[in-house]
Amino acid sequence: MADIPKRNIPGGNVPEGQHPSGKNEEAGKATLSRRRVLQTLAAAGGATLVGASAEVFADNKIKGWPDRKGMLTDLTECVGCRTCEKACNRANGLPEPEVPFDEKSVFEKKRRPTASAYTVVNRYENPKSSDKPLYRKVQCNHCNEPGCASACPVRAYTKTPEGAVLYNKDVCFGCRYCMVACPFYVPAYDYESALDPRIVKCTMCHGRVKNGGIPACAEACPVGAVTFGKRSDLIRAARERIRKNPDRYVDHIFGEYEVGGTSWLYLSGVPFDRLDFPANLVEKPLVEQTKGFLSAVPLVLTIWPALLGMCYASTRNKEGKE
Amino acid sequence: MKNATVVVMAIALWAGVSAAGEKAGVGNVPKELVLGSLSRVYEPVRFNHSGHVSTAGGCADCHHQHGSTDVRSCTQCHRTDPSAFKKNVNAGMLKPCRECHSASAGPGAGIDRPTLKAAYHQACFKCHRGDVGTVGKDPKGCTEMCHVPAAQARLDGKK
């Protein structure tokens, strides 16, 4: 007798001695079963979360498409000639820019990709030699696990086996979540056409690559600062360059692990944050930051109301009998 | 039309590869080299070799094989017998850059070794960036220093 209330108290808020002695056994059972329900419920919720995070962890290990392509930008080679910008413009049939491609005044402010320029080159001061400014080519980095694709509510983004992240304007309704999700501030919105929403960004010349070609910027670069090839080959070559020229490069391949790895890789002679590369990026894919929570939402929304409802119903019925 | 453009460009490229001419200068060192193997956007570059010989510290300043541990033997580039080599370093033909630095720009090109275009430019930019010339400070530096844009008619014909 004495131990029943003890068991009751933690389990189900049943005040001591409230139940007639005859019903104590039954009350104990009811309380226990309710506790079991709560335990089951918690376990279900926990399993939902644990299950999701286990799945996410597995994602990080997936090698997926080992032959996927990539680009390597060696920022120590770039001389800021803007030939890549011009080649990109021609290859994508973009409008002629207001300022010609051989104009240096564009370097006076930092630019970002726009609807009419999928790639831009920005100039930075060189801490090692003021005579030789540094340049950074900016374009979509084609993440292995793209944040834009995970943020898009209508699946307008596709990660292709070739490595490029493509965008389909036919399903896009212009919410611009991708612009917020992108850690590199890449997707640009075409404000010229309000009735035909369109996000624009680099496609890593997917059409040319599918036909055995290479992206226009890589083909045009006069100094070999932009090279195209198998991502794994690029990483190997980048490591080799760092190993052979430890004084020339910082010992880091930007994009190898950042946000789960990107197709576009970079080598630099100065720390990357000096060239405005985001320095606060996690190594896990951005998808992981939200996937665990978001994948639990449907389960929580469907299972929890039912279970809580059952819990409530059982309690109410019991109280009704009294 | 697009196919025709590609064909024209390919012919121009490959015809140009075998068309790098040279004029003999003092001491059997080329005086002027015409670098036209890749000329598509620009006219072939008339490279004043003897001028560079006198201003540069030595062959190794441009020809990376000299003094480099990467190269195994002189005969890798200088194809000649030793006695003839003493008289004339260029006797028996010099191995052209393009035999190692591929002129093609297919997938994977330039990963392990710069393409021909990149190798040329990288050699020039050792000096013509900052120290000599405005390359790297002004995109117009390309045409100020070496390149003459190809005739407009030629460009129009390619379109």
Side-chain angles (χ1 to χ4, degrees), chain A residues 77-79 102-104 123 131-133 135 212 214 219-224 227-228 234 236-237 241, chain B residues 40 105-112 117-118 121-122 125-126 129-131 135-140 142:
Chain A
E77 298 286 3
C78 182
V79 294
D102 60 359
E103 185 55 61
K104 68 172 174 179
R123 183 170 66 189
D131 256 3
K132 297 175 182 171
Y135 296 93
I214 73 170
E219 190 178 287
C221 180
V223 286
T227 43
F228 170 81
L234 292 171
R236 180 185 47 71
R241 286 187 205 180
Chain B
R40 272 164 35 185
I111 292 183
D112 293 317
K117 180 169 69 173
H121 285 114
Q122 286 177 8
F125 292 162
K126 276 182 194 166
R129 234 205 116 188
D131 304 336
V135 173
K137 287 184 173 171
D138 188 347
K140 281 178 183 149
C142 307

Side-chain angles (χ1 to χ4, degrees), chain A:
Chain A
M1 280 297 289
D3 66 332
I4 290 172
K6 276 182 195 167
R7 279 159 62 197
N8 281 346
I9 291 162
N13 293 330
V14 181
E16 216 173 321
Q18 201 174 3
H19 299 288
S21 61
K23 289 188 175 179
N24 262 356
E25 196 64 29
E26 195 187 326
K29 274 181 187 169
T31 315
L32 278 174
S33 75
R34 181 164 60 180
R35 181 162 57 175
R36 216 167 281 143
V37 166
L38 286 169
Q39 280 170 344
T40 314
L41 214 118
T48 306
L49 290 169
V50 170
S53 58
E55 195 185 331
V56 166
F57 179 72
D59 263 3
N60 210 16
K61 301 285 175 195
I62 287 174
K63 299 284 184 210
W65 299 321
D67 285 341
R68 68 185 184 276
K69 303 291 190 287
M71 307 282 282
L72 173 64
T73 298
D74 188 334
L75 295 165
T76 65
E77 298 286 3
C78 182
V79 294
C81 66
R82 299 183 68 209
T83 308
C84 53
E85 287 189 41
K86 190 175 179 177
C88 176
N89 176 285
R90 302 286 188 270
N92 290 293
L94 299 175
E96 193 70 21
E98 286 174 20
V99 183
F101 287 110
D102 60 359
E103 185 55 61
K104 68 172 174 179
S105 62
V106 294
F107 292 135
E108 279 159 20
K109 57 179 180 183
K110 300 286 179 283
R111 298 174 294 154
R112 51 168 287 182
T114 66
S116 53
Y118 301 172
T119 185
V120 292
V121 176
N122 285 326
R123 183 170 66 189
Y124 293 87
E125 259 187 43
N126 187 348
K128 291 179 183 170
S129 159
S130 59
D131 256 3
K132 297 175 182 171
L134 296 170
Y135 296 93
R136 177 194 167 192
K137 179 184 183 301
V138 186
Q139 77 296 305
C140 172
N141 286 324
H142 302 276
C143 301
N144 291 342
E145 301 216 32
C148 55
S150 75
C152 180
V154 291
R155 292 196 181 184
Y157 285 93
T158 318
K159 175 75 179 175
T160 64
E162 291 77 28
V165 176
L166 298 183
Y167 159 85
N168 176 7
K169 84 176 181 70
D170 293 335
V171 294
C172 176
F173 65 101
C175 71
R176 285 170 266 176
Y177 282 2
C178 53
M179 292 173 72
V180 182
C182 176
F184 305 106
Y185 310 100
V186 163
Y189 194 66
D190 185 1
Y191 289 98
E192 299 300 316
S193 51
L195 295 175
D196 183 20
R198 194 168 69 111
I199 292 282
V200 275
K201 67 168 198 71
C202 161
T203 62
M204 217 164 103
C205 287
H206 190 246
R208 291 166 64 107
V209 169
K210 284 280 264 186
N211 292 326
I214 73 170
C217 55
E219 190 178 287
C221 180
V223 286
V226 186
T227 43
F228 170 81
K230 220 166 87 173
R231 187 176 183 269
S232 52
D233 287 345
L234 292 171
I235 290 173
R236 180 185 47 71
R239 285 229 180 82
E240 187 67 7
R241 286 187 205 180
I242 294 173
R243 192 185 63 78
K244 278 187 176 171
N245 310 286
D247 296 336
R248 184 186 176 109
Y249 298 105
V250 293
D251 189 10
H252 181 63
I253 305 170
F254 189 94
E256 187 181 7
Y257 297 115
E258 276 78 6
V259 291
T262 57
S263 299
W264 215 292
L265 307 161
Y266 300 84
L267 284 176
S268 171
V270 299
F272 283 95
D273 54 353
R274 296 199 69 146
L275 303 174
D276 284 348
F277 279 83
N280 57 349
L281 297 181
V282 289
E283 290 195 349
K284 281 181 181 176
L286 290 184
V287 183
E288 280 197 29
Q289 312 293 322
T290 54
K291 197 173 169 187
F293 173 76
L294 288 178
S295 58
V297 167
L299 287 171
V300 170
L301 285 183
T302 51
I303 295 173
W304 282 45
L307 289 174
L308 290 170
M310 277 165 58
C311 185
Y312 171 70
S314 67
T315 317
R316 193 186 56 177
N317 284 346
K318 183 172 64 61
E319 281 168 359
K321 280 175 195 169
E322 285 167 14

